[in-house]
Amino acid sequence: MPPQPPSAAVRDEPVIRDRGDACPGALRLHAADDGHLARIRIPGGMLDAAAALLLADAADRLGDGHIDLTSRGNAQLRGLGASCGGELQAVLVRGGLLPAPTHERVRNIVASPLTGLDRRGLPDVAPWVAELDRLLCASAPAAGLSGRFLFALDDGRGDVTALDADVNLSAVRDGGGDRALLWTAGPADALLVGAAEAPKAALVAAEYFLDAAREAGTRAWRVAELPAEHALDPGELGRRLGAAGISAAVVRGSAAPRPGAPPEPGVVEGPDGAAALSVLAPLGRLGTAQWRVLAGLTGRLRLTPWRGIVVPGLAADAAEEALRALAEAGLVTAPDDPWRSVTACTGQPGCAKSRADVRADARAVVAQAQAQAQTQAQAQAHPEGTRPLPVHWSGCERRCGHPRGTAWADLVATADGYDLSAAGHAPRRAVPARELPAALAAVRRTTSHDAAKK
């Protein structure tokens, strides 16, 4: 089994923080080797064209001309000057992306990207996103949440509740009408609340965490970091919900939906002749020209936690032509694209801790895979119904940006090459760059993505 990336601590290893988290934001810029970095929270990943185009203009004028997508559906600008904070703030305010400066780092909300867009008939949780964001920004205590605290709003397909969020809501549709299951990281029991009250219930859960963290005195950033004696209790959460005027019933045992898959690249057929497009950005990085093409299609975007983009609001008969335009712009538009299952950290030259330019190395390997994909041997490398094992490139042992919830081939740069590990294979040390294509092909060919997850 590959080494696990850093994650929230288990309860028998209590975490005691001696400072607040240093997670970057739109106002708190992070100094990197390639300039300063700003992370703009975009609740639910939902953007309109005006805000999207303002971000592109800021990336061109103030940054390096690119927009990075994060594993929480947020956007990052890199290569910023140290003194551009005030100008960037003005741009974000103009685009409606900074409704509460005191809360800008705590608006970490992921939502099912295809909610309300496909034909599965699941409840549309998009309204939850706007309401929870409004409630968060209006709550004085919520400003004390760390920049790592995460809310997941799932429409019942189980895609974002698989992301280890601190507070989870999952839509439930039954004979009693639309309702929601609420649970926090750790406890198996959930609480059933009315759908209309779900965003308020999520805020109550977050404020309960803040009280528990204060009582513990460990300055925990996330729910899983609370000591066992201060763990959040579903019964106490139910009492707090009642005090807030929210009726809640405890659901015993694990009530979370089965983990669902991220959106596949391609056309998403919707109801009533509508369609959406789902695409991925290679290595989660978009040039502003690509970004503007996306923003210009329908005037709406949804950034996904898998470094993808969903474009809603197309007519079904126009979707294929629009998808071809995005493919020509260099985006991943098909499930069998080699870029679909490749991720990487920033690497050199942006990160001082990285030992290699991992993105350049990843591009070289993918380019070779794309060339080989034209041959019959490559076409038969992955039997029907299987997929190559995902691979993550890391510039050091911290494995920043590592995907969650899947098995993977793990590459970590060292002074002498790359260490390679994958489920079911003996690890290899210091693999030189020239041998990486063959070494990766061997481990990815013999283990499918789906099989590795079982």
Side-chain angles (χ1 to χ4, degrees):
M1 182 70 184
Q4 299 288 325
S7 60
V10 293
R11 289 259 167 76
D12 58 356
E13 298 177 0
V15 173
I16 300 176
R17 305 286 187 186
D18 58 2
R19 59 173 176 83
D21 78 280
C23 204
L27 303 180
R28 178 195 287 181
L29 303 186
H30 170 74
D33 271 21
D34 59 347
H36 284 70
L37 175 154
R39 183 172 299 160
I40 299 100
R41 267 67 177 187
I42 303 173
M46 299 177 182
L47 269 178
D48 62 27
L53 293 175
L54 283 170
L55 278 181
D57 291 344
D60 283 336
R61 287 189 303 105
L62 307 175
D64 65 2
H66 292 82
I67 296 171
D68 290 351
L69 307 181
T70 77
S71 60
R72 293 182 168 194
N74 295 319
Q76 286 187 168
L77 305 183
R78 299 189 69 97
L80 299 168
S83 61
C84 77
E87 190 173 357
L88 178 60
Q89 181 176 357
V91 170
L92 299 179
V93 169
R94 195 158 65 248
L97 298 173
L98 201 62
T102 54
H103 291 64
E104 61 99 2
R105 293 191 317 120
V106 308
R107 303 167 65 225
N108 292 304
I109 303 171
V110 295
S112 298
L114 296 183
T115 190
L117 301 180
D118 60 10
R119 295 180 178 177
R120 292 188 59 174
L122 297 170
D124 185 355
V125 301
W128 287 356
V129 175
E131 178 62 7
L132 177 55
D133 187 35
R134 185 189 70 78
L135 292 170
L136 271 175
C137 292
S139 166
L145 293 170
S146 84
R148 301 172 190 267
F149 195 91
L150 182 63
F151 297 86
L153 312 184
D154 198 297
D155 64 3
R157 71 186 68 217
D159 53 357
V160 294
T161 48
L163 298 178
D164 299 331
D166 297 279
V167 175
N168 299 272
L169 286 173
S170 180
V172 177
R173 177 168 287 167
D174 56 24
D178 287 352
R179 295 187 284 182
L181 285 168
L182 166 71
W183 71 95
T184 60
D189 295 344
L191 292 118
L192 191 63
V193 301
E197 298 172 316
K200 183 178 179 181
L203 177 64
V204 171
E207 292 178 345
Y208 175 23
F209 161 76
L210 288 170
D211 289 344
R214 183 170 53 254
E215 292 171 4
T218 57
R219 303 186 70 172
W221 296 343
R222 307 200 62 188
V223 169
E225 294 179 357
L226 291 169
E229 61 271 22
H230 293 279
L232 302 188
D233 173 59
E236 171 60 19
L237 177 54
R239 287 188 287 275
R240 288 173 177 250
L241 291 172
I246 301 172
S247 177
V250 175
V251 178
R252 301 294 180 188
S254 179
R258 295 175 65 87
E264 290 278 9
V267 174
V268 180
E269 296 181 349
D272 304 321
L277 302 181
S278 173
V279 298
L280 296 171
L283 299 178
R285 190 163 172 81
L286 292 153
T288 52
Q290 294 173 311
W291 183 265
R292 288 187 175 96
V293 171
L294 287 160
L297 286 175
T298 66
R300 290 187 290 154
L301 299 177
R302 292 185 182 182
L303 312 184
T304 82
W306 302 276
R307 296 180 172 86
I309 308 96
V310 171
V311 181
L314 286 95
D317 58 4
E320 289 291 348
E321 183 178 352
L323 191 69
R324 284 193 293 273
L326 296 183
E328 291 171 0
L331 297 168
V332 176
T333 60
D336 59 353
D337 191 301
W339 278 117
R340 181 183 179 275
S341 53
V342 178
T343 57
C345 70
T346 297
Q348 294 178 356
C351 178
K353 293 183 172 63
S354 180
R355 301 188 186 95
D357 187 342
V358 292
R359 289 181 171 181
D361 290 341
R363 289 188 191 99
V365 171
V366 170
Q368 181 167 328
Q370 288 172 323
Q372 291 177 343
Q374 306 303 317
T375 69
Q376 185 68 16
Q378 182 70 11
Q380 295 176 347
H382 301 289
E384 185 177 355
T386 69
R387 291 178 180 152
L389 193 68
V391 58
H392 184 74
W393 297 70
S394 300
C396 71
E397 292 80 2
R398 295 189 307 161
R399 296 178 177 82
C400 294
H402 208 292
R404 292 178 177 270
T406 64
W408 56 84
D410 203 39
L411 281 170
V412 179
T414 70
D416 303 310
Y418 281 89
D419 288 349
L420 170 62
S421 56
H425 294 267
R428 293 187 59 182
R429 305 299 180 196
V431 180
R434 66 181 180 277
E435 296 179 16
L436 284 174
L440 271 174
V443 299
R444 301 184 78 197
R445 181 168 55 242
T446 55
T447 312
S448 78
H449 184 175
D450 293 333
K453 288 194 292 184
K454 295 179 181 178

